[in-house]
Amino acid sequence: MTKFTQEHPALSFTLKTVFYFVVILLLVYLYGYYGAGQEPFIYNEF
């Protein structure tokens, strides 16, 4: 596969772009899912 992507740089660029886009989407999803930026639970009762 390495030789194939060396012969087709556009395909290599596309695959890398898709891979990094998926990684960024996963990080954004996890950041929102775990509630980063919200106040801790201990302060909810005050």
Side-chain angles (χ1 to χ4, degrees), residues 5-31:
T5 56
Q6 286 177 351
E7 293 175 359
H8 301 282
L11 178 63
S12 176
F13 175 77
T14 304
L15 290 175
K16 287 179 184 178
T17 302
V18 169
F19 173 74
Y20 289 120
F21 182 72
V22 169
V23 168
I24 290 173
L25 281 181
L26 182 65
L27 289 173
V28 168
Y29 172 75
L30 289 176
Y31 185 78

Side-chain angles (χ1 to χ4, degrees), residues 1-7:
M1 174 114 181
T2 304
K3 184 178 179 182
F4 183 74
T5 56
Q6 286 177 351
E7 293 175 359

